[in-house]
Amino acid sequence: MHDKALIKDLKRKALEIRKWVIESVYRAGSGHPGGSLSIADVMACLYFHEMRHNPKDPKWPDRDRLVLSKGHAAPALYAALALAGYFPVEELKNLRKIGHFLQGHPCMKKVPGVDMSTGSLGHGLSVAVGMALAGKLDGKDYRVFVILGDGEVQEGQIWEAANSASHYKLDNIIAILDRNGLQIDGPTEEIMHVEPIAWRWQAFGWDVIEIDGHDIEEILDTFHEIKMNEKPTIIIANTIKGKGVSFMEGTLSFHGKPPSEEQYKKAMSELEQEERELNG
Amino acid sequence: MVNANITNKMRNLRDAYSSALIELGSKNEDVVVLDADLSLSTKTKRFGTVFPDRFFDMGIAEANMMGVAAGLAACGKIVFASTFAVFATGRSYDAIRQSIAYPELNVKIVATHAGISVGGDGASHQMLEDIALMRALPNMTVIAPADATEMEDVVPAIAEHSGPCYVRIGRADAPIIFETHGEFKIGRGLVLRDGSDVAIIATGTMTAEALKAYDLLKKEGIEACIVHMPTIKPIDKKLARKVAGKTGRIITCEEHTIIGGLGDAVSMAIAEKPVPMRRIGVNDVFGESGEARQLMEKYGLTAENMAKVAKEMIKKY
Ligand SMILES: Cc1ncc(C[n+]2csc(CCOP(=O)(O)OP(=O)(O)O)c2C)c(N)n1
Ligand SMILES: [Mg+2]
């Protein structure tokens, strides 16, 4: 059980992330709102509670790492980093703009707090394995979080990485699979099935936990439960693509499309309404 | 001029690689080595035997190996990742591009079994476009050493250099041409023979052949300038321009396709003040099975062919 104030605070943070996702993608005129919104709650829990990190020292060697393997959800990562204090939130208005540092996909050389450059799907878990191996070699107790898309796991390299993580007993890796059910061309199960997903990861030697990826309390409890038992862990977070904005929820169309002006206003007013209810 | 001679001593560059790695590993605890189930062939296994904690066999999963290398490097390790050139670059290209070159991480890809001299395994294993692939990547340094002595200098040099490197070596034993250490510097070409009739610029295994070509030409009264270019990127532009100006004729020679390799790098370097150029390499075809020497002869990667091309050029220009 977690205290009510914490849960409420994280809910607020998740809403702020969602608002910035809409704001930044709208201003950029391009970007990926759907998959950013689906991970907003997980992001809030990671950056504002679970992860050990220090925005004043982004390269702190002992920090927990986060690899956003589904790099197109950069708007959610950037919002979390800005809100945590890695750079001014005003920068979020310059997403994807020439002469500014927030690249369309995460760039570790340009953005403080980004632990790995991503964008081409299927690479992040391998990098996380390397980071986790380094942690073991150096006797450090940091953990490596990695966020995967449910379409992304169709990439073969994910399974090479999954295999190597369990082979080297990397219990310092925690993967979160954003199981929003959709990729670009349609639902995962129609395009290229990924089920039985839990069973597949178990077969690769991972501990698997399935949760509601929008339930802050459940997310926190789950992180709390993870044991260092020589096995990597994957949390299958059942989510809704576009979560928080009614007309984006469960749709394919907002995977990689910004809202129009009218849609932007509607989205912001919905999120603000939710904020008022939460505070109210 | 640098002292270099064809000697009777043969030594495998892979052996030199593993010895240099072990030496490096004993001096620097941050050195970590990865391989993809070819550690007996690449000889990284020897490092693994001496430093079992810092050696990881990643199995037959090359793209993953490159990503893992990136993650280790992102945490401060100096990572050497080895497998055959065809798998190191072809199979893993996007992983190298996305996770190593773009974030500019400290990964040293040392690929063995490059080129047609792989022999019997045939075209599937004869990597002839790796220089082109790696050279096209921003932040990547590309090196092809000529002999075991140079290879022993390359290993500490790339470890000291911060950023991604690609080193390609062959499978076959190669004659020792440098008897002493210390000539190799990233980005520096070496004049091995002076001459003003034609310049032969070679890299990797072809440099020894170029030295032989010098002797063949000399017998016919032709003075060739022989340049060894161990670093293909960044290419030694100054030296390329200098020998172009001095000789007015350039031949490049590489165990690689003529597209995108040393020949391209040299022609780019002299493009503002061009001189006639001929490039010797594999002419945009795949290789085939055969003995290394037979293949080198069939595809014109020999001193005799260099001398022939040099004479043609001198006649024509
Ligand atoms: C290797 C690669 N192939 C294709 C793409 C283009 N692409 C971007 S997002 C996406 C769909 C991703 O679906 P999923 O992993 O389910 O992400 P989410 O639903 O969370 O947005 C695709 C195909 C890419 N970025 N990388
Ligand atoms: Mg999805």
Side-chain angles (χ1 to χ4, degrees), chain A residues 4 17 52 57 82 103 125 155 159 164 201 218 250 271 280:
Chain A
K4 289 229 163 58
I17 291 172
R52 181 172 75 196
D57 186 6
Q103 302 298 298
L125 191 56
E155 284 283 358
W159 298 98
S164 58
W201 287 91
E218 196 176 348
L271 292 166

Side-chain angles (χ1 to χ4, degrees), chain A residues 70 72 119-121 149-152 155 180 182 184 241 255:
Chain A
K70 45 167 267 186
H72 58 282
S120 177
L121 294 168
D150 54 356
E152 183 185 10
E155 284 283 358
N180 59 27
L182 301 177
I184 294 183
K241 202 156 175 168
H255 167 82

Side-chain angles (χ1 to χ4, degrees), chain B residues 100-239:
Chain B
I100 296 173
Y102 177 42
E104 207 176 349
L105 288 167
N106 213 5
V107 175
K108 319 299 168 186
I109 302 164
V110 179
T112 68
H113 295 63
I116 204 160
S117 56
V118 156
D121 275 346
S124 63
H125 285 54
Q126 291 160 344
M127 189 31 141
L128 295 169
E129 65 275 11
D130 53 331
I131 295 176
L133 284 169
M134 293 298 106
R135 201 181 140 243
L137 285 171
N139 299 330
M140 187 64 80
T141 295
V142 181
I143 297 167
D147 75 349
T149 311
E150 191 173 41
M151 185 63 190
E152 284 171 343
D153 287 345
V154 165
V155 171
I158 59 175
E160 204 153 296
H161 169 85
S162 154
C165 295
Y166 176 70
V167 180
R168 59 130 47 184
I169 60 177
R171 167 177 174 265
D173 290 348
I176 300 263
I177 62 172
F178 297 111
E179 286 187 82
T180 53
H181 284 279
E183 291 300 345
F184 177 77
K185 233 177 95 188
I186 292 175
R188 183 167 78 162
L190 303 171
V191 177
L192 307 186
R193 296 283 184 276
D194 230 347
S196 54
D197 294 331
V198 59
I200 301 179
I201 304 178
T203 193
T205 44
M206 298 315 294
T207 295
E209 290 297 312
L211 285 174
K212 289 186 209 158
Y214 174 88
D215 294 340
L216 294 175
L217 289 167
K218 178 129 200 192
K219 277 189 205 136
E220 307 196 31
I222 297 168
E223 299 277 346
C225 171
I226 307 294
V227 174
H228 172 47
M229 280 289 187
T231 312
I232 297 136
K233 184 184 174 187
I235 192 88
D236 190 339
K237 287 198 195 95
K238 245 169 99 182
L239 182 60

Side-chain angles (χ1 to χ4, degrees), chain A residues 154-173:
Chain A
Q154 291 157 0
E155 284 283 358
Q157 193 183 329
I158 291 287
W159 298 98
E160 298 180 7
N163 198 34
S164 58
S166 59
H167 180 85
Y168 284 113
K169 303 186 168 57
L170 299 176
D171 51 12
N172 47 351
I173 292 186

